[in-house]
Amino acid sequence: MNATLLAVALSLVSAGAYASAAVAQSRLAGRTDPSTGVLRLLGRGAWWSAVGLNATGALLHVAALNYGPLTLVQPLGALTLVVAVPLGARAAGRRVGRVEWRGTALTLLGLGALLLTAGGSAPHETLSLPEALGVGAATMAVVAGLSRPGARPGLRHAAASGITSGVASALTQTLTVAVTDHSGGPLFSWRLLTVALLVAAFAMGGLLLSQTAYRGGLGAPLAVVTLANPVAAAAIGLALLGERLQGEPVSLVLALLGTAAAVRGVILLSRSQARHTERGDAPEEPVAVPADPVPSRVVIGSPRRADTTPLAPEPLPAHASG
């Protein structure tokens, strides 16, 4: 019981760190030219602040996975929305609207229903090397498909970010269980080394994908990330780690209802962000406009403004001065 409470407490603090990082990334994305490369972002203090917050959230999340099952810890990441929505609204100098509250509530209720259907004791099973490689290959194929050019790139990148983060968490559980298991076996092996490399790759990939997704606003992409993350992790837990739903028939219905509520919450948040884009909500700090702006691209939180500097009058011809 104490271990479960500790897992919940660590997950709460982790969600707060992730929410702060998401808001920092959104503000940075709003002040950055969409064509800015990753190398230029590495030279900005705001970027490293977001990286530090994400690292803190990740470490706390790993600790929570050591004390609680995957089906308990992952859905608690939905609390990121509870913190991030008001933080993002405050950063943009506005109040949280009723539609945003309703969308957030539906998303949390939906994920809460999914949490109630999950069960099981502390983690014991781990992924084998072929299973870990198969999960990694399937994840990269899905991310490649979501990253292709097309409509709604923000939501697709958010889904890819959530999937990679969820897979990284599932792989991290294999590491934590294997390292803390004292039943025997080598502490260091090719399997653990491969899983560790996959965790690092997917964690960094999820961070970069979320940075791209937040260029179109915070609410809907963050909701998609929050929804895709536990879904991906739960799929691995149910398919490969022996986790089961509590009360199979009833739990399936409850899980479907929870999924529908969460999807509805995502739609409400998406519509709310679209309205803020049309009104041109902007943060208080000055917006950095690139030298070659693209008028057709509008970034939520940093609308491009026309140059209002008065033009210098042209000199009068010499014959008109007299």
Side-chain angles (χ1 to χ4, degrees):
M1 185 64 178
N2 291 333
T4 301
L5 291 178
L6 182 57
V8 172
L10 290 171
S11 298
L12 291 177
V13 182
S14 174
Y18 277 131
S20 300
V23 173
Q25 286 180 261
S26 178
R27 290 167 65 89
L28 177 61
R31 301 194 303 265
T32 303
D33 178 7
S35 62
T36 299
V38 176
L39 292 179
R40 292 190 62 183
L41 287 176
L42 295 179
R44 299 190 179 184
W47 165 257
W48 288 109
S49 297
V51 170
L53 288 169
N54 273 298
T56 301
L59 291 175
L60 293 170
H61 182 71
V62 170
L65 287 173
N66 190 41
Y67 292 101
L70 189 66
T71 50
L72 169 68
V73 174
Q74 287 303 116
L76 288 177
L79 295 173
T80 301
L81 272 176
V82 177
V83 182
V85 167
L87 283 180
R90 182 177 180 181
R94 60 175 180 82
R95 295 182 177 180
V96 179
R98 285 181 294 180
V99 174
E100 287 176 308
W101 283 123
R102 195 182 314 145
T104 300
L106 283 173
T107 303
L108 292 177
L109 286 174
L111 293 176
L114 294 176
L115 174 61
L116 292 176
T117 63
S121 58
H124 295 289
E125 297 188 26
T126 60
L127 297 174
S128 64
L129 180 57
E131 288 174 339
L133 291 175
V135 167
T139 302
M140 287 186 286
V142 172
V143 170
L146 291 173
S147 300
R148 295 177 60 183
R152 297 185 179 275
L155 295 182
R156 288 188 290 105
H157 288 158
S161 175
I163 291 172
T164 53
S165 299
V167 171
S169 295
L171 294 172
T172 299
Q173 187 187 76
T174 289
L175 286 178
T176 57
V177 172
V179 170
T180 57
D181 184 13
H182 302 289
S183 61
L187 182 60
F188 298 100
S189 63
W190 284 111
R191 177 179 69 114
L192 294 184
L193 179 59
T194 302
V195 171
L197 292 176
L198 288 175
V199 168
F202 287 141
M204 181 56 66
L207 177 62
L208 296 176
L209 286 167
S210 65
Q211 177 67 58
T212 303
Y214 295 150
R215 284 176 175 171
L218 180 61
L222 184 57
V224 172
V225 170
T226 307
L227 178 61
N229 187 311
V231 169
I236 296 175
L238 294 172
L240 300 176
L241 295 177
E243 298 186 8
R244 296 290 182 266
L245 297 178
Q246 295 180 353
E248 292 288 342
V250 177
S251 294
L252 181 59
V253 175
L254 185 59
L256 292 175
L257 292 176
T259 301
V263 170
R264 176 58 179 169
V266 170
I267 294 175
L268 290 177
L269 287 171
S270 179
R271 290 176 179 174
S272 175
Q273 289 297 323
R275 281 196 291 270
H276 289 306
T277 303
E278 294 174 359
R279 290 201 302 263
D281 294 344
E284 296 179 358
E285 64 269 8
V287 178
V289 180
D292 185 18
V294 182
S296 60
R297 179 184 292 272
V298 179
V299 179
I300 294 179
S302 58
R304 306 195 183 280
R305 301 172 182 173
D307 187 7
T308 57
T309 305
L311 298 175
E314 297 182 359
L316 296 175
H319 62 81
S321 60

